[in-house]
Structure formats: C-alpha cells, structure tokens
Amino acid sequence: MKGKQLYPILLLIFVATSLPAASGGQYYAASSSLSYYLGIPHFEDEIPARSSMAVSTTIGFLGYQGSNWETVLQAHIYSVSDSLPFGNYRARGFNSLGLSILASWSPSERFSLFVQGGTEVNFYKQIEEVFASFSFKLGPQFLIVEEPTYQMYLIAPVSVHLRKEITALQAGIGVRYLIFPFRRGDT
C-alpha cells in the first residue's frame, strides 16, 4: 500500500477514536443486508446492465453515540452473485473486503438517516483478478428494539459502488445491531 493511500485510513481511525464516549455511549455493531445489484458498464457491451444479488455484512468496532447522532468505523465483507444470464453470457460475481465509516442523525426517537463511505478490495470468484472500488451508502434506519445494553434497527440502504469499468446501483433491506459494552452514559 502506498503512503498516500494510508493517510485517509489513519485519519478515519484518529477521528473515530478521538470522539468523546461520554456524550452518549461507546458501542460495537453488526449489520447484514440483502440488495439488488445493478451494474452499469462504462464501455460498449452486449449487456447494457448486469443484474445480480448482493449480501453485505459489517462489523463496527469503534462506535460512539450521542443524543441524536452516531458514528462508527467499520470493516465489511461483501459478496455479489454472478449476473442473471443474458443469452450465453453471465457477468462474474465477486467478493469484497473493506473499511468504511458510518454517520447518522436522528430527527426522532425511532427514525434516523445514515450515510456511509468506504473503500474495498475486490476478488473475482472465478478468475484470479483483484480490483479496488469505492462505495457510498445512505438510507433510513428504523429503531425496532431498544434496551439499556443494545439497539436493533431495520435498515433500507441505497448505495453506489464505483469501479473502474462499472458503476453499480443497489437497493436493499437489512438489520443493524448495536451492543453497548457499558450501560449508555456510564464511562
């Protein structure tokens, strides 16, 4: 990894770890979502768009929550299936590993909006080729369970996955789980 690529990652870690935990609570998180993946190529191809399914799992390891905001540094794993057949052609599926940061704002007790940005290293499933990508995700999250030690949300993410040769649009549904290692407000 080149030095210039390391600086944004170190900056994200520094910002996330310097936030005051006493403002609401430190937490760890896990989420999973299922999405429809529509890949639009940047080149002329017999397929105008590739239609696949994607599964994403995220582990948040540096999360802080205030009264109406939260932010968390996350690692994510992502898997995109082979595309639906188009004649005799199927676009290859791939797996991804990446880092992202999520921030959310809550205008009410049960509803919040989140935005997430990250970068990934991707591995095709059928050939030995690796490529980098960036992703941006946003959407609503609805609080469905709240206890002193955890919260659970229903999420509806919409995202853009940017690659050199394809831009992919996704829409999905999932669950997000936050666990507080201390009672909220106790630090």
Side-chain angles (χ1 to χ4, degrees):
M1 181 180 290
K2 295 180 181 175
K4 289 181 181 181
Q5 295 170 337
L6 186 59
Y7 293 132
I9 294 169
L10 292 174
L11 180 63
L12 286 174
I13 292 170
F14 175 74
V15 169
T17 58
S18 65
L19 294 171
S23 63
Q26 180 184 359
Y27 69 86
Y28 304 110
S31 65
S32 186
S33 63
L34 178 64
S35 301
Y36 173 73
Y37 182 95
L38 180 66
I40 303 164
H42 300 169
F43 53 87
E44 260 188 62
D45 195 8
E46 69 258 18
I47 301 179
R50 292 154 167 79
S51 197
S52 302
M53 294 301 291
V55 175
S56 176
T57 301
T58 304
I59 303 295
F61 49 91
L62 287 172
Y64 295 100
Q65 186 180 68
S67 58
N68 67 346
W69 62 271
E70 70 169 293
T71 186
V72 62
L73 185 61
Q74 310 176 118
H76 55 269
I77 300 169
Y78 189 70
S79 183
V80 175
S81 69
D82 292 348
S83 72
L84 294 174
F86 184 82
N88 292 328
Y89 181 78
R90 270 188 110 147
R92 295 178 295 265
F94 61 91
N95 295 317
S96 300
L97 297 172
L99 284 175
S100 60
I101 191 162
L102 177 141
S104 77
W105 171 71
S106 303
S108 72
E109 286 184 22
R110 295 272 174 202
F111 173 76
S112 55
L113 296 169
F114 70 89
V115 62
Q116 175 182 317
T119 185
E120 302 86 26
V121 176
N122 307 277
F123 309 89
Y124 280 117
K125 294 177 181 177
Q126 297 161 347
I127 62 171
E128 291 185 20
E129 187 176 329
V130 176
F131 58 95
S133 63
F134 297 94
S135 60
F136 303 95
K137 188 179 289 189
L138 58 96
Q141 57 183 17
F142 304 93
L143 183 63
I144 53 177
V145 177
E146 182 173 34
E147 295 293 331
T149 56
Y150 70 92
Q151 292 176 326
M152 188 176 294
Y153 292 89
L154 178 66
I155 58 174
V158 174
S159 60
V160 177
H161 191 231
L162 302 170
R163 299 165 42 189
K164 180 180 176 182
E165 63 280 327
I166 291 177
T167 297
L169 305 175
Q170 296 173 246
I173 191 159
V175 175
R176 189 161 177 257
Y177 181 78
L178 280 58
I179 186 165
F180 298 89
F182 314 103
R183 289 180 64 88
R184 278 181 279 168
D186 296 345
T187 52

